[in-house]
Amino acid sequence: MIRIAIQAKGRLNEDSIRLLSEAGIRIDESKRMLLSRSSSFPMEVLYLRDDDIPQAVADGVADLGIVGLNEVAERTFDLEIVRKLGFGRCRLCLAVPKSVEYNGLAWFEGKRVATSYPRILAKFFTEKGVRADIHDIAGSVEIAPSVGMADAIFDIVSSGGTLVSNGLVEVETVLASEAVLVANRSLSEEKRAVLYEILFRMDAVERSRGMKYILMNLPQGKVDAVVRILPGMKSPTVLPLAQKGWCSLHAVVSEAEIWEKIVQLKELGAEDILVLALEKMIP
Ligand code: PRT
Ligand code: ZN
């Protein structure tokens, strides 16, 4: 049984559950407890605060975890970052009051910077040779300059709306973050095999994203012309129809191209065109 830690509630919770469910790992949310078993896969889900996930995985309390890269980078646990997951995108930025005349990183010399990510910031300032005063505060970092607690902030930004409404402007991006799948460094052979199975399933879903399954009826004589405009995974599938001289042709097409392809297919004599959703693609 493999155990994964995900965020109990918050920005990454829904997408984490969706990702597992797309991989066929269903969790009954109505019967949710701190530790819940999937009904369809040998996996337990441990619901934690995001701050606690890196340590839980490093200590082996959980084998895997889904957490923001920002949280992983801030803690010093030795974790394997298995893959980036494409959701929870944000960036860790330095921001200053908009009244300030910002002239580059030297501006931060001797300034007080409020943040909940002191380690990432300290490392960045050290690399850049800036000596600033880092104030580690737990929440509402964005109000620190207006109440006189700090000269600038270092915080997570996504749309930038919070900065604007607090009279701040983003001046440096230090880390681009998104949710990542992390793993304990010393997983057993069996658990590693389960991890590969999960990754295999995630890949199948990922590959099918933005793709559609298209099928149509076609005069036999037009097959070559259609195959030229519809390259499939290998090549399109062609099946004979009961009606002589006609066949059914199946292929996979990217959603972005679908309307353009349909126009071309109709010109070539295709009829009864069906476009279907594609859930998984396994080469
Ligand atoms: O309760 P728990 O400790 O688990 O949750 P949390 O409150 O610490 O975290 P949560 O749910 O807010 O965020 C979880 C993760 O989502 C973060 O660690 C990031 O990896 C990621 N993420 C993505 C974000 C944002 N986008 C984001 N916008 N985390 C926080 N924010 C904040 C930002 O700091 C700002 O204050 O949301 C506010 C709105 O941002 P703007 O720029 O869109 O205005
Ligand atoms: Zn948190």
Side-chain angles (χ1 to χ4, degrees):
M1 176 82 66
I2 202 160
R3 188 184 285 172
I4 190 165
I6 67 171
Q7 197 189 19
K9 53 182 196 303
R11 283 166 211 272
L12 305 182
N13 169 265
E14 255 179 48
D15 282 330
S16 304
I17 290 169
R18 177 193 46 78
L19 183 81
L20 294 176
S21 126
E22 283 175 347
I25 306 169
R26 282 185 298 279
I27 316 140
D28 189 347
E29 280 289 289
S30 66
K31 295 196 198 117
R32 178 170 145 173
M33 291 182 293
L34 173 65
L35 189 63
S36 295
R37 242 214 90 161
S38 164
S39 55
S40 60
F41 194 80
M43 178 185 270
E44 283 175 335
V45 178
L46 178 63
Y47 294 95
L48 295 179
R49 287 200 55 187
D50 67 344
D51 317 53
D52 297 331
I53 293 175
Q55 177 160 21
V57 176
D59 291 352
V61 171
D63 303 300
L64 308 174
I66 297 177
V67 66
L69 183 62
N70 50 303
E71 289 297 330
V72 179
E74 178 60 21
R75 328 230 161 219
T76 48
F77 303 109
D78 185 26
L79 293 171
E80 180 185 345
I81 297 180
V82 181
R83 71 171 50 180
K84 296 185 172 177
L85 299 173
F87 59 84
R89 284 184 202 279
C90 56
R91 50 198 190 277
L92 271 170
C93 294
L94 281 161
V96 302
K98 64 174 192 287
S99 54
V100 154
E101 232 177 85
Y102 183 75
N103 53 1
L105 275 175
W107 182 87
F108 286 98
E109 197 65 37
K111 295 286 200 305
R112 295 165 305 160
V113 186
T115 186
S116 311
Y117 294 90
R119 288 208 189 90
I120 298 174
L121 183 58
K123 183 162 172 274
F124 176 75
F125 277 154
T126 305
E127 276 166 17
K128 302 291 178 188
V130 175
R131 277 158 309 161
D133 191 0
I134 299 173
H135 285 230
D136 182 3
I137 63 173
S140 304
V141 169
E142 65 279 359
I143 62 163
S146 61
V147 299
M149 272 171 69
D151 303 303
I153 68 162
F154 176 62
D155 201 8
I156 293 181
V157 181
S158 136
S159 68
T162 303
L163 293 184
V164 171
S165 53
N166 285 282
L168 299 165
V169 283
E170 189 178 328
V171 290
E172 306 283 344
T173 299
V174 174
L175 178 81
S177 181
E178 64 186 90
V180 289
L181 177 66
V182 292
N184 180 279
R185 286 241 177 240
S186 39
L187 288 186
S188 66
E189 288 276 309
E190 295 97 279
K191 285 181 176 171
R192 202 152 276 279
V194 178
L195 171 60
Y196 288 139
E197 172 63 23
I198 297 167
L199 294 177
F200 170 79
R201 293 180 179 199
M202 285 180 180
D203 285 343
V205 175
E206 195 50 49
R207 223 173 275 124
S208 71
R209 234 182 271 288
M211 304 301 276
K212 295 283 176 195
Y213 192 75
I214 186 166
L215 41 153
M216 71 212 70
N217 293 334
L218 196 68
Q220 195 72 50
K222 296 290 184 185
V223 169
D224 288 347
V226 167
V227 168
R228 249 175 269 131
I229 65 160
L230 285 185
M233 287 166 81
K234 282 204 174 57
S235 74
T237 306
V238 182
L239 302 168
L241 285 189
Q243 192 180 340
K244 224 175 165 330
W246 281 73
C247 62
S248 164
L249 188 141
H250 303 205
V252 173
V253 176
S254 95
E255 193 168 10
E257 293 181 316
I258 204 90
W259 289 110
E260 174 197 331
K261 295 292 182 195
I262 287 174
V263 171
Q264 296 173 345
L265 291 168
K266 286 176 67 160
E267 280 170 3
L268 288 170
E271 292 178 8
D272 310 321
I273 302 173
L274 298 180
V275 178
L276 308 179
L278 195 62
E279 275 190 17
K280 293 164 185 87
M281 269 173 82
I282 295 122

